[in-house]
Amino acid sequence: MLDRFSRSGANAIYIKEQLKSQGIYIQSVKQPIDGSTSSGDFQQNIHMIFSHYDNQLRKERCMAGTREALMRGVWCAHKPIGYDKIVINGETKLVVNNEGKLLRKAFYWKVNENLNSEQCVSRLANVGLKVSHQKMSTIFRNPFYCGLISHNLLEGKMVEGKHEKLISKEIFLKVNEIQNKNSFGYKQTPEQINIPLKVFVKCDKCGTGLTGYVVKRKNLWYYKCRSKGCCVNKSSEALNVLFENVLTDFILDSKNLDLMQELLITEFDDRSREGAEAVRLLKEQYQAINGKLERLEERFMSEEITKELYLKYVEKHKEEQLKIQRDLPQFELGSSNPEDCARLITSYAQDLRKMWLSGDYVSKQKLQNYLFPKGIRYCKNTGLVRTEDFNSVFLWIALKQGDLGQKKCGIPSLNLDYAALVAGDGFEPTTFGL
Ligand SMILES: [Zn+2]
């Protein structure tokens, strides 16, 4: 099963592409798809997005339970350092352990002796508790230690927890007052804002990922190839816009939305049929084993076989049946809801450019690698970017859309090894083809 391989969707596809570039193709024994062909590759992508979607659903269900527990003050996530989980009268409790008692001291050192975090870290090390500097700051900021629960599922709400307090709220507030005097929240660096395509864009001449730099005097950012002799230097703004234009060519036009969803559902139906076929086969096997068990019993009753032999085979057959029972839900779940999956994919496809523009550095990089598993290449002489590979699902959508004739995308064929995608430079309309 491909969802055994990974359920993280985009990331799974990324890993798959990485393997593919090494000549390794993922094979699923129960979903015999040839990953080396373009249609097989497409199917695998769909499977993975599907698995990801199932996973999201599961997570949502699971999150509802977690949220409910958190509201009651029960901490059910990973236990923070300084606590032990114990069970009293069938109830799980979080209590302060010996490490916690040492951490409690650190809070007091900060308030009473005005030690900074580093000093606290080294003093803790002296009494046998190793904590990194970063971890120390996280501990000082975690309201869990003064008995409160905060969790992103609670959407900013603080709940009085049922766990043992390490320190009072007063001490916690005092420590954080001190901490806040010299602290900054997470901010994107100017580098991350200005050169999101760093490393992702490769120099076409030597294949090295471009790095970036800034001319501070003018506050202008550039991408650059560091290899000797390449002399590639490109204004970051121009290359970012170029990339944006490439994305624009893959955007699903809202007027094609309904039709595209239908086309995708047809694709999914093919896949569901495969799933249904697998379910049918498994159920048949299960029945066949029932038959074997019956015959076995008859033979044992008529003393054709010994008790040892009888028990041995019963166990073997029962194990086979258990395995089938474990496998079945996977097939049935995987083909659960093609409509929702089509909706999910088309909503991504409509928003590619917006998603990229509005994302922070990390999500930009993720999306880039998701869509262009091998990165893109920039050629200094032509001023063009090209890529050898594009995410097959989104390419499929772009091609279908091209077929509809309502939006020209000019991507020549699915055979990406042959047709490197090429985009026009700068502000001109983007064109594809070699
Ligand atoms: Zn180079």
Side-chain angles (χ1 to χ4, degrees):
M1 286 298 293
L2 285 167
D3 43 13
R4 284 286 171 213
F5 169 61
S6 173
R7 283 182 168 271
S8 67
N11 196 37
I13 295 169
Y14 176 68
I15 295 169
K16 177 172 69 71
E17 296 300 334
Q18 291 288 310
L19 290 171
K20 201 166 83 183
S21 67
Q22 309 281 316
I24 301 165
Y25 297 94
I26 294 169
Q27 290 284 349
S28 161
V29 180
K30 287 182 189 151
Q31 294 164 333
I33 299 168
D34 182 359
S36 64
T37 65
S38 59
S39 72
D41 180 67
F42 178 83
Q43 280 198 40
Q44 285 190 341
N45 269 346
I46 294 281
H47 281 279
M48 283 171 185
I49 290 177
F50 237 122
S51 310
H52 177 63
Y53 173 72
D54 281 339
N55 224 19
Q56 290 300 106
L57 282 187
R58 256 174 244 216
K59 216 189 255 169
E60 270 165 36
R61 261 181 250 131
C62 167
M63 274 189 327
T66 310
R67 187 171 183 277
E68 192 262 338
L70 288 168
M71 290 297 281
R72 283 189 285 117
V74 177
W75 184 253
C76 35
H78 190 70
K79 73 177 170 64
I81 178 173
Y83 279 86
D84 277 337
K85 238 180 214 171
I86 55 162
V87 180
I88 302 171
N89 299 333
E91 210 180 319
T92 311
K93 287 215 158 113
L94 283 174
V95 293
V96 176
N97 60 18
N98 286 335
E99 285 183 343
K101 283 173 192 156
L102 292 175
L103 289 176
R104 179 185 289 144
K105 287 186 179 169
F107 276 92
Y108 282 103
W109 292 334
K110 205 165 183 94
V111 174
N112 297 335
E113 300 178 44
N114 208 14
L115 295 196
N116 64 31
S117 298
E118 255 149 274
Q119 290 166 319
C120 290
V121 167
S122 62
R123 220 189 248 191
L124 281 175
N126 286 341
V127 291
L129 181 59
K130 275 194 185 143
V131 183
S132 71
H133 178 66
Q134 205 191 348
K135 182 108 193 180
M136 193 74 248
S137 322
T138 318
I139 290 168
F140 283 144
R141 285 178 198 291
N142 190 351
F144 187 89
Y145 292 108
C146 71
L148 292 172
I149 286 182
S150 112
H151 191 281
N152 48 16
L153 282 180
L154 293 171
E155 288 152 2
K157 217 181 274 171
M158 285 267 192
V159 177
E160 194 72 42
K162 291 205 164 135
H163 58 278
E164 185 185 349
K165 270 184 214 171
L166 189 81
I167 43 153
S168 68
K169 292 194 181 62
E170 288 70 34
I171 292 289
F172 179 77
L173 287 175
K174 270 187 196 159
V175 164
N176 273 272
E177 233 168 73
I178 300 165
Q179 283 289 94
N180 284 337
K181 277 182 192 154
N182 45 12
S183 75
F184 301 94
Y186 170 74
K187 259 194 208 145
Q188 286 195 80
T189 64
E191 182 173 319
Q192 291 178 327
I193 293 167
N194 287 293
I195 45 174
L197 300 172
K198 190 174 100 174
V199 184
F200 168 75
V201 174
K202 318 259 184 286
C203 165
D204 198 34
K205 201 168 165 189
C206 69
T208 315
L210 301 186
T211 55
Y213 68 95
V214 61
V215 176
K216 280 214 176 111
R217 196 161 34 86
K218 298 179 182 166
N219 193 29
L220 286 176
W221 290 80
Y222 293 88
Y223 293 106
K224 172 193 171 82
C225 174
R226 294 177 104 168
S227 303
K228 257 193 180 160
C230 285
C231 305
V232 172
N233 233 325
K234 177 82 176 169
S235 134
S236 72
E237 205 184 328
L239 201 56
N240 293 346
V241 169
L242 190 57
F243 182 71
E244 219 183 292
N245 284 347
V246 174
L247 286 185
T248 310
D249 276 290
F250 287 91
I251 290 176
L252 172 63
D253 203 312
S254 58
K255 65 182 175 214
N256 295 333
L257 183 63
D258 292 343
L259 187 57
M260 197 59 70
Q261 281 182 359
E262 268 173 49
L263 289 171
L264 270 171
I265 289 168
T266 314
E267 283 286 325
F268 297 154
D269 281 346
D270 291 345
R271 162 183 141 71
S272 303
R273 256 194 298 280
E274 280 172 29
E277 178 63 14
V279 168
R280 194 184 62 76
L281 284 173
L282 282 176
K283 284 186 174 160
E284 248 176 47
Q285 282 173 22
Y286 194 90
Q287 283 305 323
I289 295 173
N290 272 346
K292 279 184 192 170
L293 284 169
E294 270 168 40
R295 272 198 303 281
L296 210 57
E297 203 176 317
E298 281 164 19
R299 292 179 69 189
F300 175 55
M301 299 302 262
S302 61
E303 294 180 337
E304 265 178 66
I305 51 170
T306 62
K307 192 179 174 187
E308 283 79 29
L309 224 51
Y310 168 72
L311 288 175
K312 189 180 145 199
Y313 280 109
V314 166
E315 195 186 346
K316 180 174 163 272
H317 290 321
K318 287 278 178 202
E319 244 168 55
E320 285 168 0
Q321 284 191 323
L322 261 177
K323 194 179 169 304
I324 292 173
Q325 276 173 337
R326 273 199 301 267
D327 285 349
L328 261 175
Q330 307 277 341
F331 282 98
E332 287 170 334
L333 253 181
S335 48
S336 52
N337 199 333
E339 283 81 12
D340 284 348
C341 192
R343 219 172 292 136
L344 185 77
I345 292 173
T346 49
S347 75
Y348 283 163
Q350 277 183 296
D351 280 338
L352 288 179
R353 184 173 158 272
K354 217 163 58 186
M355 270 160 64
W356 185 72
L357 283 176
S358 63
D360 63 11
Y361 182 70
V362 175
S363 37
K364 272 197 174 85
Q365 290 259 335
K366 265 191 194 156
L367 184 67
Q368 286 157 206
N369 286 321
Y370 174 44
L371 295 174
F372 301 88
K374 288 184 188 164
I376 60 175
R377 296 174 84 97
Y378 171 70
C379 175
K380 171 196 156 200
N381 295 334
T382 58
L384 302 176
V385 291
R386 65 185 183 96
T387 180
E388 284 145 21
D389 212 348
F390 192 85
N391 177 287
S392 58
V393 173
F394 292 98
L395 183 62
W396 183 88
I397 290 177
L399 287 168
K400 284 277 176 216
Q401 190 160 243
D403 290 347
L404 295 173
Q406 283 157 321
K407 187 177 173 185
K408 214 174 149 95
C409 75
I411 306 157
S413 89
L414 255 173
N415 186 350
L416 285 162
D417 290 328
Y418 160 71
L421 306 169
V422 178
D425 194 6
F427 299 88
E428 297 163 25
T430 328
T431 51
F432 284 92
L434 257 182

